[in-house]
Amino acid sequence: MASSKPRVMLCNCEKTMRLDAGRIAGLDKDHTVHTQLCRAQMASFEKALATGEPLLIACTQEAPLFQEVAEERGADQELSFVNIRERAGWCATSTDPHPKISALLAEALAPSAPAALHSIESDGVCLVYGAGQQALDAARALEGRLSVSLLLSDVSDLILPATLEIPVHAGRIRTLKGSLGDFEVTVDGYAQMLPSSRGAPSFALARDGARANCSLILDLSGETPLVSAPSKRDGYMRVDPGNPAAVARAMFDMADMVGTFEKPLYVTYDASICAHGRSGKTGCTNCLDACPAGAISSTGREIAIDPGICGGCGSCAAHCPTGAVSYRYPERGSQIRKLQALLGTYREAGGKDAVLLVHESQHGGDIITALARLGEGLPGNVLPHGAHSVTSFGHDAMLAAVLAGARRIVFLCPPSKAHELDALRMEIELSESLLAGMGHQADGAFAIAVEDDPDAVTGYFGLQPKALAVRAASFDPVGTKRDVARSAIARLLDGAPAPQEMIALPAHAPYGRIQIASDGCTLCLACVSACPTAALSDNPDKPQVSITEAACVQCGLCANTCPEQVITLDARYNAAPSAMRPEVLHEEEPATCVSCGKAFGTRSSIARIREKLSGKHWMFQRADQIALIEMCDDCRISAQWEMDDTPLRGGARPRIVTTDDYLAMEKGSLTADDFLKDN
């Protein structure tokens, strides 16, 4: 029976790395270290394939070759690859690579649940949008591979061919919606070119608001992008018309975008714990504010995420206070377990002063490769962690990494995404505030490196004299985002140098409570109805509103709903056990009915109503009318019924016609007075 744990295959790449299997965690001293696994020792790989067990090959450069050999041999087991050479093995001669190599292998071996996939159909209908001859040439070049239409934003500088394979139109795109396989354009000044055009093209009568659908768009207009974050919108390619190489590359890529494609579902959404809106009031808008691609829209009470537009930056999930939007590439638990394996194994293998480098796989990988091939590589204590997007990190993952032993965390981001970092900065600010409230020197614990220059990146790895030094621990990251975050915070507090029970947080923090100005509160309990997390509750036996602080996400729905506007938010983290229990915010003695003594409403509300209406409203002029204000519903109706001028009492009820009446009619006619007599 094949083992579920992959077998690790090591190679020192023709002795360019110092590898001692006995010093690598999880391996013994007899574990084979190959010298040229991808060439002279390929037979060892083929022999391992024959066992059928999953394999982890510590080489990524030759991954295509290993996969090709496996396919030729008909092997169907799982093959995975990890780069230990550029990330650890190629390092300064004074650096011991084994703790980091142990950590990288442990991270690669940590299981990760795959993300679900979203299927996209592209029929190859392509709209080329641009000016003049260049747009025409591009459209004609794509025809044959795609079904192309040309929309000219400028018709000058155009020489028409004798044979025109594509439809040509003039107009300017007003709006563009959708993504790969499902775009909708709205065009103003839309007009079809007349076939009789001679010399300069002629067009039919133009009209505004024309709409059309397509699967692909090549934007050569050189104008403002038609969508937000154009680089993230699959199927929409906007290139500089003055860059022939970029135009050629876009055309080359677009020609193959026909058929069925599978795209990861980067995030999932749980509407039941969303704090966006209630009863027409808006609360939390974190995900809407953070999304750079415009993939998230409001439906009023909830939000909607377009998986076709979503590029997987993860800012929405990182900044969501409840976890209603949750990242799945990878999911939260898998990500934190990998971080714990990376940092924990490094520490257990003898590594010290761990600096976690979180980077986007392609961008960061290129920089790390350049450092290793052209210099001495990353410092031995810098542990690289590749991610689809660095902005997917929330304070829960940051604090879990600190708890696992990271003394500093550096987020490496490409300059092209510098405008997408606001949510990440706020999550860092929240993490720093929490750590500072525990007595840690949090300044400099986190850094964002917006760099393309490998040499500049190395300047972010230095540790401050009083950098984070926590009592390292791990935990099982199960439950919601808040559950995971609170678990990490509780463990950090246990070993903190100067823990505080109450930690002040920035205004955008998802922890805290509310304050109610008692003088203005009428205990209408609209806030209780609006609360999406049940942090606010009432008391069926008494006019009262309470808060369970641990459940409050500071969404602001209660404040926006309050008709008296007497609620304010108070961001803080309460580590006391009392935060898990309801605490009374405001209560009053109930008013009692002056007729039956039953409790109803609040004394202050009834007093205010009496003051405003007594003698000032035509319905409350006499003493018996004013007394109605201080009665419960049942007694109020009874008292009104007994008033001489009550509108509730009608006239005498007509007598019911019976068979006897009809028999009496045979003896003599009846008058109206006969039917008005009492029964």
Side-chain angles (χ1 to χ4, degrees), residues 62-371:
E62 300 299 324
L65 174 62
F66 290 120
Q67 290 171 327
E68 181 181 346
V69 172
E71 185 177 349
E72 290 175 351
R73 299 295 184 272
D76 59 358
Q77 69 257 53
E78 180 183 355
L79 299 181
S80 52
F81 303 88
V82 57
N83 180 358
I84 65 170
R85 188 179 67 181
E86 283 84 359
R87 298 201 293 167
W90 283 356
C91 59
T93 55
S94 60
T95 299
D96 179 6
H98 294 94
K100 189 196 291 191
I101 290 175
S102 300
L104 294 175
L105 291 175
E107 180 192 33
L109 290 169
S112 180
L117 298 176
H118 169 63
S119 293
I120 299 173
E121 295 287 341
S122 172
D123 58 9
V125 175
C126 175
L127 176 65
V128 176
Y129 179 54
Q133 191 66 36
Q134 183 185 43
L136 176 60
D137 292 343
R140 295 185 69 194
L142 285 171
E143 179 61 29
R145 299 294 298 274
L146 303 172
S147 177
V148 180
S149 295
L150 173 61
L151 181 64
L152 292 168
S153 58
D154 186 344
V155 300
S156 60
D157 183 31
L158 189 66
I159 301 176
L160 298 174
T163 302
L164 191 58
E165 308 92 340
I166 57 174
V168 179
H169 311 269
R172 303 189 72 84
I173 296 179
R174 182 205 305 170
T175 60
L176 172 63
K177 300 177 182 178
S179 57
L180 174 63
D182 188 25
F183 284 109
E184 180 184 288
V185 295
T186 302
V187 181
D188 289 338
Y190 171 80
Q192 187 172 9
M193 191 182 75
L194 298 175
S196 59
S197 297
R198 181 179 181 183
S202 301
F203 293 87
L205 185 65
R207 63 187 178 92
D208 293 339
R211 294 186 178 181
N213 296 93
C214 58
S215 293
L216 302 163
I217 295 180
L218 177 59
D219 185 355
L220 301 176
S221 66
E223 299 173 350
T224 302
L226 299 173
V227 296
S228 57
S231 61
K232 297 180 180 293
R233 190 70 61 101
D234 294 333
Y236 173 72
M237 292 196 177
R238 175 182 176 271
V239 292
D240 180 4
N243 187 341
V247 174
R249 179 66 184 176
M251 293 171 59
F252 179 82
D253 292 342
M254 184 165 280
D256 291 328
M257 300 179 73
V258 181
T260 302
F261 300 89
E262 290 186 333
K263 178 181 179 180
L265 284 171
Y266 296 109
V267 297
T268 57
Y269 174 60
D270 182 358
S272 66
I273 56 174
C274 181
H276 173 57
R278 289 289 189 279
S279 304
K281 299 293 184 180
T282 301
C284 173
T285 60
N286 285 3
C287 60
L288 291 162
D289 298 336
C291 181
I296 304 178
S297 58
S298 171
T299 62
R301 182 183 177 91
E302 302 169 0
I303 56 108
I305 303 174
D306 189 330
I309 298 176
C310 176
C313 74
S315 294
C316 55
H319 209 35
C320 178
T322 65
V325 181
S326 183
Y327 203 60
R328 284 293 182 269
Y329 198 65
E331 57 92 22
R332 181 183 301 106
S334 296
Q335 181 188 54
I336 292 177
R337 290 185 186 96
K338 282 187 173 292
L339 290 171
Q340 290 175 340
L342 178 71
L343 291 157
T345 304
Y346 173 77
R347 183 182 67 256
E348 292 166 3
K352 299 181 183 300
D353 296 333
V355 175
L356 179 65
L357 173 62
V358 182
H359 64 88
E360 295 191 3
S361 299
Q362 183 64 51
H363 172 257
D366 291 344
I367 288 179
I368 292 170
T369 297
L371 288 171

Side-chain angles (χ1 to χ4, degrees), residues 4-35:
S4 59
K5 183 178 180 180
R7 179 202 293 188
V8 177
M9 301 198 73
L10 292 175
C11 180
N12 61 24
C13 199
E14 298 183 332
K15 299 183 179 180
T16 59
M17 292 185 286
R18 306 186 308 277
L19 292 187
D20 181 352
R23 299 185 59 195
I24 297 177
L27 304 181
D28 57 49
K29 62 183 179 59
D30 297 324
H31 192 95
T32 302
V33 177
H34 300 86
T35 301

Side-chain angles (χ1 to χ4, degrees), residues 463-482:
L463 286 172
Q464 300 293 331
K466 296 182 179 180
L468 292 175
V470 305
R471 188 171 64 195
S474 62
F475 66 99
D476 193 10
V478 297
T480 66
K481 176 181 179 178
R482 292 177 69 83

Side-chain angles (χ1 to χ4, degrees), residues 396-430:
D396 52 332
M398 295 179 195
L399 296 176
V402 170
L403 179 64
R407 297 194 66 191
R408 180 175 170 85
I409 302 178
V410 178
F411 297 94
L412 176 57
C413 179
S416 61
K417 298 183 179 180
H419 61 287
E420 301 177 11
L421 302 176
D422 287 346
L424 178 62
R425 290 190 180 97
M426 286 190 279
E427 291 298 299
I428 287 176
E429 183 185 6
L430 173 57

Side-chain angles (χ1 to χ4, degrees), residues 403-540:
L403 179 64
R407 297 194 66 191
R408 180 175 170 85
I409 302 178
V410 178
F411 297 94
L412 176 57
C413 179
S416 61
K417 298 183 179 180
H419 61 287
E420 301 177 11
L421 302 176
D422 287 346
L424 178 62
R425 290 190 180 97
M426 286 190 279
E427 291 298 299
I428 287 176
E429 183 185 6
L430 173 57
S431 298
E432 289 177 338
S433 298
L434 287 165
L435 291 170
M438 301 175 192
H440 291 290
Q441 181 64 43
D443 291 342
F446 306 91
I448 300 177
V450 185
E451 299 287 353
D452 270 336
D453 181 1
D455 292 330
V457 172
T458 59
Y460 289 86
F461 300 147
L463 286 172
Q464 300 293 331
K466 296 182 179 180
L468 292 175
V470 305
R471 188 171 64 195
S474 62
F475 66 99
D476 193 10
V478 297
T480 66
K481 176 181 179 178
R482 292 177 69 83
D483 294 333
V484 172
R486 294 187 75 92
S487 294
I489 294 169
R491 286 163 175 79
L492 285 167
L493 281 166
D494 284 343
Q500 299 178 28
E501 194 171 77
M502 210 71 66
I503 301 174
L505 297 178
H508 58 76
Y511 304 101
R513 57 176 290 146
I514 66 169
Q515 303 290 349
I516 297 179
S518 300
D519 292 344
C521 178
T522 61
L523 282 170
C524 67
L525 302 181
C527 55
V528 175
S529 300
C531 183
T533 62
L536 298 178
S537 57
D538 61 356
N539 185 338

